[in-house]
Amino acid sequence: MKSCDNTSVGVVITDRQGRYLMFDRATFPAGTAPAAGHIDDHGSAEDAGRAEVEGELGLTVTGLTRVTGCWRDNPCRRPPGARGTGHDWTIYRATVTGDLAPSARETKNVRWIAPDALQELAERTVAYAQGRVTDAEFEAAPGIEPVWMQWLATIAAIHVSPDELLQVERLTS
């Protein structure tokens, strides 16, 4: 297995009704999240974002806007890279075209999630961070993938307190 390149991209997709295109990760780490992955040999973060959306969801990106990003100490399933454990993230909002054709290797339960249901998933992740949901329970019925809580809060897709974000952040390092 190749080492982590310490760079990641994530792509938030919404529809005209304001719903978020999300899925449960089929591989580590557990959680519900938008398309994301390492930049690797894709070239730029933009190229990687387009490739991840196509590879994970079968959709073509027609527009890509950077919305946030920074270094996060989150682990991945690869051995640590040159900068240790963590990733320099770039997060985009995207518009897409095409018919959903999810990757069975990387995704489960691909769906459009209304904002109130996304908030419920965020609250499940907070409960997990607070020890009110076990690892097995979270894997069986996940909330938002912990690293995504900060990104979704930053773009005001979810609302959690700073203390709750700190509790969740401890799950990502």
Side-chain angles (χ1 to χ4, degrees):
M1 177 181 283
K2 67 179 166 180
S3 295
C4 177
D5 72 349
N6 296 119
T7 58
S8 286
V9 62
V11 183
V12 177
I13 301 167
T14 54
D15 67 6
R16 289 189 177 115
Q17 291 80 37
R19 299 176 303 172
Y20 294 84
L21 184 56
M22 307 281 279
F23 56 87
D24 299 341
R25 296 238 174 261
T27 58
F28 176 85
T32 301
H38 291 92
I39 293 177
D40 286 331
D41 300 324
H42 294 297
S44 68
E46 293 90 352
D47 292 338
R50 292 174 193 281
E52 291 299 331
V53 169
E54 184 175 340
E56 292 180 352
L57 300 168
L59 299 172
T60 301
V61 172
T62 57
L64 205 56
T65 303
R66 185 186 184 282
V67 291
T68 191
C70 69
W71 176 264
R72 302 285 296 282
D73 291 331
N74 67 299
C76 66
R77 62 183 170 271
R78 295 180 181 179
R83 293 177 64 190
T85 299
H87 302 86
D88 189 9
W89 281 86
T90 304
I91 306 297
Y92 295 98
R93 280 192 179 267
T95 54
V96 296
T97 189
D99 296 320
L100 271 173
S103 164
R105 185 179 69 80
E106 297 192 56
T107 70
K108 301 184 293 189
N109 194 20
V110 176
R111 64 215 184 267
W112 291 99
I113 300 177
D116 59 338
L118 190 66
Q119 182 64 38
E120 288 175 15
L121 291 174
E123 291 165 10
R124 181 158 180 82
T125 302
V126 169
Y128 176 54
Q130 293 172 343
R132 296 183 286 123
V133 173
T134 67
D135 289 345
E137 290 169 334
F138 192 79
E139 286 184 25
I144 293 170
E145 179 186 348
V147 74
W148 273 96
M149 291 285 286
Q150 180 64 56
W151 304 135
L152 294 173
T154 298
I155 65 169
I158 60 169
H159 303 283
V160 292
S161 74
D163 286 342
E164 291 168 331
L165 277 178
L166 282 173
Q167 291 169 334
V168 171
E169 189 68 22
R170 290 186 194 113
L171 295 172
T172 67
S173 51

